[in-house]
Amino acid sequence: MRASRRKRTRRLAGLSAVPRLRMTSMMDILTVLLLFLLKSFVVDGESLTPPPGLQLPQSTSDSVPEESIHLAVEDRGVLLGEELVATTDQVLREPGYVIAPLAARLRKLQAQSGRIAQMQGRERRRTATIQGDKDLQFALLQKVMYTLSVNGYADISLAVIRKS
Amino acid sequence: MKRSRRKTYRKLVETELETLPLMGLFVVLIPMLLLSAVFLHITVIPVPLPDDDSARVEEADAFSVSVRILDDRFQVEAKGSPARVITRDHAALETLSRELLEVVTAHPENRAVTIISEPTTRYEDIVAVMDVTREAGLPQVALAGEGS
């Protein structure tokens, strides 16, 4: 009885029985969010994603990363892309400066990119980006850099987090 | 008569903008942009290595400056002047910056610096010294190890 009276009152007041969702405020939020995300969208340069657990050091450098091969040097060892090439123990035990497993992988990579360059008819610059953990010891970094240099990767960049 | 006029007015007010297609677009665009968004700006420090030929033709009498990173101190070694020792305390990087600025003022044509580290030197410390040398006007950094 009471319900039917309420319905009647509502109908008379011009309100529909099912209220419609008001979208305007949600649209405002989404528009702001969309603009913010569009602003932070990276169009130029290459975006680097360090492997989980690796903490890059902070620096004031503002050079943008270029297209290159990515190496990560962390607690576990040396990673080329996402593949673990040599463990830390293995690297530190090597008597010389060259890390043999890394050198072998680099030569293989070079042969592949050489074939691609031949097909494209242009010589590509060999560049490498090293993502090193901030607590990394110089001895390890030195060996990685030396191995890169003797295998033709003389343009080396060190990845860092830009200080805000 | 009065009632019908009121009804027409209500119809006009209740007409809403059709936002559902726009919502659909937002729902697709926002997750896509969130996935590709970069919240940490990763930049690089270029460290071009010299190839064998350029290393051989390096002039013996050319001016050179190096910063040695030791456990307890920094050592600025410029050719033709005695080594300057900076104790590694909280203001060490500022002092290093001042020392390097003096070297740059005396030899403005020189743009290169060698950072000599020990095998156990932390990468973070090397990057901090590289920042100081770059800001002091020595952007061409070469890394070297103790005894190499």
Side-chain angles (χ1 to χ4, degrees), chain A residues 145-163:
Chain A
M145 287 176 83
Y146 186 80
T147 311
L148 282 168
S149 133
V150 293
N151 284 288
Y153 291 89
D155 273 349
I156 295 176
S157 302
L158 303 174
V160 285
I161 291 176
R162 194 173 67 194
K163 266 185 202 167

Side-chain angles (χ1 to χ4, degrees), chain B residues 17-144:
Chain B
L17 202 66
E18 194 57 66
T19 51
L20 214 61
L22 201 61
M23 285 290 292
L25 185 72
F26 278 6
V27 167
V28 174
L29 264 179
I30 286 174
M32 195 201 88
L33 289 171
L34 265 176
L35 283 177
S36 61
V38 176
F39 297 104
L40 270 182
H41 284 280
I42 296 182
T43 51
V44 292
I45 307 175
V47 190
L49 299 178
D51 48 25
D52 290 348
D53 300 334
S54 66
R56 252 179 247 130
V57 294
E58 200 179 308
E59 291 168 40
D61 57 345
F63 176 78
S64 67
V65 59
S66 60
V67 179
R68 199 177 285 270
I69 308 174
L70 300 164
D71 279 343
D72 56 343
R73 62 189 190 278
F74 296 128
Q75 222 164 285
V76 181
E77 294 159 6
K79 200 165 189 176
S81 52
R84 296 165 220 208
V85 177
I86 302 157
T87 314
R88 280 179 73 173
D89 50 20
H90 62 280
L93 289 175
E94 282 88 10
T95 319
L96 178 65
S97 176
R98 274 199 302 276
E99 292 285 349
L100 285 171
L101 272 172
E102 273 177 35
V103 174
V104 171
T105 319
H107 301 273
E109 74 292 342
N110 178 55
R111 309 267 292 153
V113 63
T114 309
I115 297 175
I116 305 166
S117 315
E118 289 187 313
T120 51
T121 305
R122 285 172 71 229
Y123 178 49
E124 196 179 25
D125 297 339
I126 300 171
V127 171
V129 172
M130 282 169 116
D131 281 355
V132 172
T133 59
R134 191 175 50 251
E135 278 158 21
L138 300 165
Q140 293 166 17
V141 177
L143 294 177

Side-chain angles (χ1 to χ4, degrees), chain B residues 8-16:
Chain B
T8 326
Y9 176 64
R10 196 186 303 138
K11 256 187 194 166
L12 264 174
V13 168
E14 278 185 3
T15 308
E16 265 189 38

Side-chain angles (χ1 to χ4, degrees), chain A residues 113-124:
Chain A
S113 64
R115 274 203 297 276
I116 295 169
Q118 232 174 23
M119 278 188 252
Q120 288 179 336
R122 62 190 172 102
E123 190 61 39
R124 286 175 72 137

